[in-house]
Amino acid sequence: MLSGVRCTISDCYFWKEGHYCNAKEILITHDEVGRKFPESMDAPQIDQIVAQTGPTEAYYCYDTCCKTFRPKT
Ligand code: SF4
């Protein structure tokens, strides 16, 4: 469980009762990056996108998203 991460996306595979995230790591990025890479990402893909994208600026909290989301099956 990721310490300090609270999440309400209960349809996510990593979501845990009590609104916690059970992923090993997550990627939060700008919505523009999210639209560019619409699929869910695992750890190696996160490393690749971080290296490729670099820092991104956001002016509003609604400009950001979690790219580790994976639907429950
Ligand atoms: S991976 Fe993202 S969407 Fe899924 S539980 Fe963790 S923080 Fe929430």
Side-chain angles (χ1 to χ4, degrees):
M1 186 168 68
L2 286 174
S3 176
V5 174
R6 305 298 302 276
C7 180
T8 63
I9 313 297
S10 58
D11 283 346
C12 179
Y13 172 81
F14 296 107
W15 187 83
K16 198 171 172 184
E17 198 65 40
H19 305 299
Y20 292 101
C21 176
N22 211 24
K24 185 176 170 202
E25 63 179 339
I26 62 174
L27 173 64
I28 309 297
T29 190
H30 196 284
D31 284 354
E32 286 178 15
V33 177
R35 280 190 285 274
K36 203 166 152 189
F37 304 98
E39 65 286 340
S40 180
M41 295 177 183
D42 57 19
Q45 290 169 312
I46 288 174
D47 287 343
Q48 184 183 347
I49 296 303
V50 166
Q52 188 177 328
T53 303
T56 55
E57 293 183 357
Y59 298 100
Y60 305 101
C61 64
Y62 55 75
D63 288 336
T64 68
C65 61
C66 175
K67 287 304 298 169
T68 308
F69 169 82
R70 187 198 307 172
K72 283 182 183 168
T73 53

